[in-house]
Amino acid sequence: MRIISGTKKGHIIKAPNNLPTRPTTDRSKESLFNILGNWYDFEDCDILDLYGGTGNISYEFASRGARSVICIDRFKGCTDFIYSESQKLGFGQLQVYRDDVIGFLKKCPEQFEIIFADPPFATKDYELIHELVFSRNLLKENGTFIMEHHSVHDFSGLPHFSEARHYGQNVMSFYDFS
């Protein structure tokens, strides 16, 4: 994995092999950030990264100057790695919390321009995550929620659906609050 753009462009991220993660591929990540870069000035954005894993997505937002990035994962090894790596990279705007995503969403008092969720493909919580994001008004006006999932799922019927982008077996479904 590497950081594609921004102040830390080209930085290689070497996560431990024992983390329970499935990082977003560089190809998918580059496409995602090309899309979002046309919609947002990241310096004016507050970001929520759910199921942070290695921190891959959070680092990319931070490198591109996001105002704030909150990264959530329930695994201690993941949060320890993300914290350590963000400190090495000097990403003071990146906060990492060890928490259950559903529990966090139920109590989160903040709103975000962009919420990115990349749950384990085997989860049964996709629709619950979507429901909590919108029922709790976690997106700011004109915000975007992106859910990465396996291509065997189709979440285009959920409210606020905008589009889906396919990258092999991975799909990124976009939902807009406008």
Side-chain angles (χ1 to χ4, degrees):
M1 290 177 295
R2 65 184 172 89
I3 296 177
I4 296 168
S5 189
T7 60
K8 302 298 180 182
K9 178 180 179 177
H11 177 80
I12 303 296
I13 302 160
K14 294 183 181 179
N17 291 331
N18 62 345
L19 296 182
T21 63
R22 175 193 37 78
T24 301
T25 64
D26 282 353
R27 179 178 156 239
S28 298
K29 184 171 65 168
E30 187 167 11
S31 178
L32 171 67
F33 279 89
N34 285 339
I35 293 165
L36 294 175
N38 286 316
W39 297 348
Y40 295 98
D41 179 356
F42 295 123
E43 293 175 4
D44 297 327
C45 289
D46 298 307
I47 311 296
L48 177 59
D49 181 6
L50 302 171
Y51 302 94
T54 61
N56 188 16
I57 297 295
S58 290
Y59 307 139
E60 197 68 45
F61 278 116
S63 181
R64 293 169 188 243
R67 179 174 44 218
S68 71
V69 181
I70 294 177
C71 183
I72 308 297
D73 202 288
R74 71 179 181 142
F75 294 103
K76 185 177 183 340
C78 292
T79 56
D80 287 351
F81 176 75
I82 296 165
Y83 178 79
S84 174
E85 195 70 14
S86 69
Q87 292 298 300
K88 283 187 229 173
L89 292 165
F91 291 150
Q93 79 272 46
L94 197 162
Q95 300 172 52
V96 60
Y97 297 103
R98 183 174 167 225
D99 204 345
D100 171 71
V101 165
I102 301 302
F104 177 85
L105 291 174
K106 288 180 178 179
K107 66 185 178 199
C108 181
E110 300 173 55
Q111 289 185 310
F112 306 89
E113 277 79 18
I114 301 168
I115 299 175
F116 179 82
D118 184 11
F121 278 171
T123 191
K124 306 242 187 272
D125 290 336
Y126 287 109
E127 292 183 28
L128 178 57
I129 295 162
H130 174 278
E131 177 187 326
L132 288 169
V133 165
F134 287 98
S135 69
R136 303 242 25 266
N137 295 313
L138 298 179
L139 282 178
K140 292 181 182 177
E141 187 174 345
N142 298 316
T144 302
F145 170 54
I146 305 113
M147 187 163 54
E148 186 170 351
H149 55 89
H150 195 279
S151 60
V152 299
H153 299 292
D154 178 5
F155 297 110
S156 61
L158 294 177
H160 307 283
F161 178 78
S162 170
E163 66 179 292
R165 299 287 179 112
H166 297 259
Y167 307 97
Q169 293 185 343
N170 290 1
V171 178
M172 290 195 193
S173 291
F174 290 78
Y175 304 86
D176 296 326
F177 183 69
S178 49

